[in-house]
mmCIF file of all heavy atoms in Angstrom:
data_model
loop_
_atom_site.group_PDB
_atom_site.id
_atom_site.type_symbol
_atom_site.label_atom_id
_atom_site.label_comp_id
_atom_site.label_asym_id
_atom_site.label_seq_id
_atom_site.Cartn_x
_atom_site.Cartn_y
_atom_site.Cartn_z
ATOM 1 N N GLU A 156 -244.751 81.240 63.528
ATOM 2 C CA GLU A 156 -244.829 80.344 62.388
ATOM 3 C C GLU A 156 -244.934 81.187 61.112
ATOM 4 O O GLU A 156 -245.989 81.730 60.802
ATOM 5 C CB GLU A 156 -246.031 79.413 62.509
ATOM 6 C CG GLU A 156 -245.962 78.503 63.746
ATOM 7 C CD GLU A 156 -247.118 77.514 63.820
ATOM 8 O OE1 GLU A 156 -247.971 77.542 62.917
ATOM 9 O OE2 GLU A 156 -247.151 76.744 64.793
ATOM 10 N N PRO A 157 -243.838 81.330 60.363
ATOM 11 C CA PRO A 157 -243.848 82.210 59.196
ATOM 12 C C PRO A 157 -244.769 81.722 58.099
ATOM 13 O O PRO A 157 -245.033 80.516 57.980
ATOM 14 C CB PRO A 157 -242.393 82.199 58.734
ATOM 15 C CG PRO A 157 -241.813 80.959 59.314
ATOM 16 C CD PRO A 157 -242.527 80.691 60.595
ATOM 17 N N LEU A 158 -245.287 82.657 57.326
ATOM 18 C CA LEU A 158 -246.158 82.368 56.206
ATOM 19 C C LEU A 158 -245.354 82.422 54.903
ATOM 20 O O LEU A 158 -244.625 83.394 54.657
ATOM 21 C CB LEU A 158 -247.309 83.372 56.135
ATOM 22 C CG LEU A 158 -248.186 83.437 57.388
ATOM 23 C CD1 LEU A 158 -249.227 84.541 57.240
ATOM 24 C CD2 LEU A 158 -248.872 82.092 57.665
ATOM 25 N N LEU A 159 -245.466 81.392 54.087
ATOM 26 C CA LEU A 159 -244.743 81.287 52.839
ATOM 27 C C LEU A 159 -245.760 81.256 51.702
ATOM 28 O O LEU A 159 -246.408 80.246 51.451
ATOM 29 C CB LEU A 159 -243.875 80.018 52.836
ATOM 30 C CG LEU A 159 -243.024 79.736 51.597
ATOM 31 C CD1 LEU A 159 -241.993 80.827 51.390
ATOM 32 C CD2 LEU A 159 -242.360 78.370 51.718
ATOM 33 N N ALA A 160 -245.923 82.401 51.026
ATOM 34 C CA ALA A 160 -246.929 82.527 49.972
ATOM 35 C C ALA A 160 -246.378 82.007 48.641
ATOM 36 O O ALA A 160 -245.227 82.273 48.283
ATOM 37 C CB ALA A 160 -247.359 83.982 49.828
ATOM 38 N N VAL A 161 -247.214 81.275 47.897
ATOM 39 C CA VAL A 161 -246.804 80.733 46.605
ATOM 40 C C VAL A 161 -247.890 80.979 45.571
ATOM 41 O O VAL A 161 -249.067 81.082 45.888
ATOM 42 C CB VAL A 161 -246.488 79.224 46.693
ATOM 43 C CG1 VAL A 161 -245.334 78.952 47.624
ATOM 44 C CG2 VAL A 161 -247.702 78.419 47.120
ATOM 45 N N SER A 162 -247.459 81.071 44.317
ATOM 46 C CA SER A 162 -248.382 81.154 43.188
ATOM 47 C C SER A 162 -248.114 79.963 42.278
ATOM 48 O O SER A 162 -247.315 79.083 42.588
ATOM 49 C CB SER A 162 -248.201 82.478 42.439
ATOM 50 O OG SER A 162 -246.899 82.546 41.863
ATOM 51 N N GLN A 163 -248.766 79.938 41.122
ATOM 52 C CA GLN A 163 -248.670 78.763 40.262
ATOM 53 C C GLN A 163 -247.442 78.787 39.359
ATOM 54 O O GLN A 163 -247.186 77.807 38.622
ATOM 55 C CB GLN A 163 -249.925 78.653 39.391
ATOM 56 C CG GLN A 163 -250.052 79.744 38.353
ATOM 57 C CD GLN A 163 -251.204 79.496 37.415
ATOM 58 O OE1 GLN A 163 -251.800 78.424 37.437
ATOM 59 N NE2 GLN A 163 -251.532 80.463 36.594
ATOM 60 N N SER A 164 -246.658 79.847 39.353
ATOM 61 C CA SER A 164 -245.521 79.912 38.428
ATOM 62 C C SER A 164 -244.430 78.921 38.823
ATOM 63 O O SER A 164 -244.234 78.612 40.000
ATOM 64 C CB SER A 164 -244.936 81.329 38.402
ATOM 65 O OG SER A 164 -244.231 81.603 39.601
ATOM 66 N N ARG A 165 -243.713 78.431 37.844
ATOM 67 C CA ARG A 165 -242.645 77.477 38.093
ATOM 68 C C ARG A 165 -241.536 78.110 38.942
ATOM 69 O O ARG A 165 -240.972 77.465 39.817
ATOM 70 C CB ARG A 165 -242.066 76.984 36.755
ATOM 71 C CG ARG A 165 -240.926 75.984 36.924
ATOM 72 C CD ARG A 165 -240.460 75.441 35.566
ATOM 73 N NE ARG A 165 -239.336 74.545 35.738
ATOM 74 C CZ ARG A 165 -239.443 73.254 36.046
ATOM 75 N NH1 ARG A 165 -240.642 72.736 36.246
ATOM 76 N NH2 ARG A 165 -238.380 72.494 36.161
ATOM 77 N N THR A 166 -241.239 79.376 38.659
ATOM 78 C CA THR A 166 -240.220 80.065 39.438
ATOM 79 C C THR A 166 -240.603 80.131 40.902
ATOM 80 O O THR A 166 -239.762 79.942 41.794
ATOM 81 C CB THR A 166 -240.011 81.495 38.899
ATOM 82 O OG1 THR A 166 -239.595 81.419 37.527
ATOM 83 C CG2 THR A 166 -238.956 82.240 39.702
ATOM 84 N N SER A 167 -241.882 80.372 41.196
ATOM 85 C CA SER A 167 -242.359 80.433 42.578
ATOM 86 C C SER A 167 -242.153 79.094 43.269
ATOM 87 O O SER A 167 -241.767 79.042 44.452
ATOM 88 C CB SER A 167 -243.831 80.831 42.622
ATOM 89 O OG SER A 167 -244.289 80.923 43.957
ATOM 90 N N LEU A 168 -242.403 77.994 42.561
ATOM 91 C CA LEU A 168 -242.235 76.687 43.165
ATOM 92 C C LEU A 168 -240.777 76.452 43.553
ATOM 93 O O LEU A 168 -240.477 75.926 44.623
ATOM 94 C CB LEU A 168 -242.695 75.609 42.186
ATOM 95 C CG LEU A 168 -242.600 74.153 42.662
ATOM 96 C CD1 LEU A 168 -243.459 73.934 43.907
ATOM 97 C CD2 LEU A 168 -243.010 73.192 41.560
ATOM 98 N N ILE A 169 -239.855 76.873 42.682
ATOM 99 C CA ILE A 169 -238.425 76.675 42.962
ATOM 100 C C ILE A 169 -237.961 77.549 44.117
ATOM 101 O O ILE A 169 -237.309 77.054 45.063
ATOM 102 C CB ILE A 169 -237.606 76.968 41.696
ATOM 103 C CG1 ILE A 169 -237.931 75.960 40.596
ATOM 104 C CG2 ILE A 169 -236.105 76.944 42.011
ATOM 105 C CD1 ILE A 169 -237.324 76.285 39.240
ATOM 106 N N THR A 170 -238.276 78.845 44.061
ATOM 107 C CA THR A 170 -237.799 79.742 45.120
ATOM 108 C C THR A 170 -238.461 79.464 46.447
ATOM 109 O O THR A 170 -237.818 79.578 47.505
ATOM 110 C CB THR A 170 -238.022 81.207 44.717
ATOM 111 O OG1 THR A 170 -239.426 81.429 44.434
ATOM 112 C CG2 THR A 170 -237.196 81.585 43.489
ATOM 113 N N SER A 171 -239.726 79.067 46.426
ATOM 114 C CA SER A 171 -240.409 78.751 47.686
ATOM 115 C C SER A 171 -239.840 77.486 48.317
ATOM 116 O O SER A 171 -239.736 77.380 49.543
ATOM 117 C CB SER A 171 -241.918 78.621 47.476
ATOM 118 O OG SER A 171 -242.228 77.562 46.589
ATOM 119 N N TYR A 172 -239.465 76.506 47.479
ATOM 120 C CA TYR A 172 -238.861 75.278 48.041
ATOM 121 C C TYR A 172 -237.514 75.600 48.712
ATOM 122 O O TYR A 172 -237.228 75.088 49.799
ATOM 123 C CB TYR A 172 -238.665 74.243 46.951
ATOM 124 C CG TYR A 172 -237.908 73.023 47.466
ATOM 125 C CD1 TYR A 172 -238.537 72.094 48.295
ATOM 126 C CD2 TYR A 172 -236.558 72.833 47.161
ATOM 127 C CE1 TYR A 172 -237.847 70.991 48.799
ATOM 128 C CE2 TYR A 172 -235.871 71.734 47.658
ATOM 129 C CZ TYR A 172 -236.522 70.835 48.477
ATOM 130 O OH TYR A 172 -235.819 69.769 48.988
ATOM 131 N N LEU A 173 -236.700 76.435 48.069
ATOM 132 C CA LEU A 173 -235.417 76.801 48.668
ATOM 133 C C LEU A 173 -235.627 77.542 49.987
ATOM 134 O O LEU A 173 -234.907 77.300 50.973
ATOM 135 C CB LEU A 173 -234.625 77.667 47.700
ATOM 136 C CG LEU A 173 -234.160 76.983 46.407
ATOM 137 C CD1 LEU A 173 -233.495 77.985 45.468
ATOM 138 C CD2 LEU A 173 -233.220 75.837 46.722
ATOM 139 N N ALA A 174 -236.622 78.437 50.031
ATOM 140 C CA ALA A 174 -236.926 79.147 51.279
ATOM 141 C C ALA A 174 -237.449 78.183 52.332
ATOM 142 O O ALA A 174 -237.080 78.251 53.517
ATOM 143 C CB ALA A 174 -237.943 80.252 51.008
ATOM 144 N N LEU A 175 -238.328 77.268 51.900
ATOM 145 C CA LEU A 175 -238.888 76.291 52.831
ATOM 146 C C LEU A 175 -237.793 75.409 53.439
ATOM 147 O O LEU A 175 -237.785 75.142 54.646
ATOM 148 C CB LEU A 175 -239.906 75.431 52.086
ATOM 149 C CG LEU A 175 -240.605 74.334 52.870
ATOM 150 C CD1 LEU A 175 -241.445 74.918 53.996
ATOM 151 C CD2 LEU A 175 -241.479 73.487 51.936
ATOM 152 N N LYS A 176 -236.860 74.982 52.622
ATOM 153 C CA LYS A 176 -235.757 74.155 53.098
ATOM 154 C C LYS A 176 -234.953 74.876 54.173
ATOM 155 O O LYS A 176 -234.609 74.295 55.205
ATOM 156 C CB LYS A 176 -234.849 73.776 51.924
ATOM 157 C CG LYS A 176 -233.679 72.887 52.301
ATOM 158 C CD LYS A 176 -232.868 72.525 51.059
ATOM 159 C CE LYS A 176 -231.677 71.642 51.421
ATOM 160 N NZ LYS A 176 -230.891 71.272 50.203
ATOM 161 N N ARG A 177 -234.682 76.137 53.941
ATOM 162 C CA ARG A 177 -233.900 76.895 54.920
ATOM 163 C C ARG A 177 -234.681 77.139 56.209
ATOM 164 O O ARG A 177 -234.131 77.090 57.310
ATOM 165 C CB ARG A 177 -233.465 78.228 54.303
ATOM 166 C CG ARG A 177 -232.403 78.955 55.118
ATOM 167 C CD ARG A 177 -231.615 79.889 54.261
ATOM 168 N NE ARG A 177 -230.477 80.440 54.969
ATOM 169 C CZ ARG A 177 -229.501 81.131 54.399
ATOM 170 N NH1 ARG A 177 -229.541 81.368 53.103
ATOM 171 N NH2 ARG A 177 -228.496 81.593 55.118
ATOM 172 N N LEU A 178 -235.980 77.394 56.084
ATOM 173 C CA LEU A 178 -236.804 77.583 57.265
ATOM 174 C C LEU A 178 -236.817 76.322 58.131
ATOM 175 O O LEU A 178 -236.679 76.382 59.365
ATOM 176 C CB LEU A 178 -238.229 77.949 56.875
ATOM 177 C CG LEU A 178 -238.476 79.338 56.275
ATOM 178 C CD1 LEU A 178 -239.879 79.400 55.680
ATOM 179 C CD2 LEU A 178 -238.312 80.418 57.340
ATOM 180 N N LEU A 179 -236.996 75.176 57.481
ATOM 181 C CA LEU A 179 -237.128 73.912 58.221
ATOM 182 C C LEU A 179 -235.792 73.424 58.777
ATOM 183 O O LEU A 179 -235.711 73.019 59.947
ATOM 184 C CB LEU A 179 -237.703 72.845 57.287
ATOM 185 C CG LEU A 179 -239.165 73.009 56.867
ATOM 186 C CD1 LEU A 179 -239.518 72.041 55.744
ATOM 187 C CD2 LEU A 179 -240.111 72.815 58.037
ATOM 188 N N ILE A 180 -234.742 73.459 57.940
ATOM 189 C CA ILE A 180 -233.468 72.862 58.323
ATOM 190 C C ILE A 180 -232.614 73.808 59.157
ATOM 191 O O ILE A 180 -232.137 73.461 60.245
ATOM 192 C CB ILE A 180 -232.691 72.399 57.086
ATOM 193 C CG1 ILE A 180 -233.539 71.418 56.247
ATOM 194 C CG2 ILE A 180 -231.368 71.753 57.496
ATOM 195 C CD1 ILE A 180 -233.994 70.190 57.000
ATOM 196 N N THR A 181 -232.414 75.024 58.664
ATOM 197 C CA THR A 181 -231.563 75.984 59.367
ATOM 198 C C THR A 181 -232.285 76.648 60.535
ATOM 199 O O THR A 181 -231.749 76.738 61.633
ATOM 200 C CB THR A 181 -231.067 77.069 58.402
ATOM 201 O OG1 THR A 181 -230.406 76.447 57.300
ATOM 202 C CG2 THR A 181 -230.102 78.019 59.097
ATOM 203 N N GLY A 182 -233.513 77.087 60.295
ATOM 204 C CA GLY A 182 -234.228 77.840 61.327
ATOM 205 C C GLY A 182 -235.004 77.001 62.315
ATOM 206 O O GLY A 182 -235.448 77.489 63.345
ATOM 207 N N LYS A 183 -235.224 75.687 61.991
ATOM 208 C CA LYS A 183 -236.042 74.837 62.835
ATOM 209 C C LYS A 183 -237.419 75.459 63.068
ATOM 210 O O LYS A 183 -237.997 75.374 64.156
ATOM 211 C CB LYS A 183 -235.363 74.558 64.185
ATOM 212 C CG LYS A 183 -233.936 74.065 64.084
ATOM 213 C CD LYS A 183 -233.838 72.737 63.340
ATOM 214 C CE LYS A 183 -232.398 72.231 63.303
ATOM 215 N NZ LYS A 183 -232.258 70.981 62.483
ATOM 216 N N LEU A 184 -237.952 76.095 62.032
ATOM 217 C CA LEU A 184 -239.224 76.776 62.109
ATOM 218 C C LEU A 184 -240.313 75.923 61.476
ATOM 219 O O LEU A 184 -240.036 75.025 60.688
ATOM 220 C CB LEU A 184 -239.138 78.143 61.407
ATOM 221 C CG LEU A 184 -238.161 79.138 62.034
ATOM 222 C CD1 LEU A 184 -237.890 80.295 61.081
ATOM 223 C CD2 LEU A 184 -238.722 79.665 63.365
#
Side-chain angles (χ1 to χ4, degrees):
E156 298 183 1
L158 302 176
L159 180 63
V161 297
S162 64
Q163 68 173 351
S164 72
R165 180 175 177 83
T166 300
S167 181
L168 181 61
I169 295 171
T170 57
S171 62
Y172 174 75
L173 294 175
L175 179 63
K176 181 178 180 180
R177 192 156 189 170
L178 289 168
L179 291 169
I180 304 302
T181 304
K183 309 299 182 185
L184 296 165

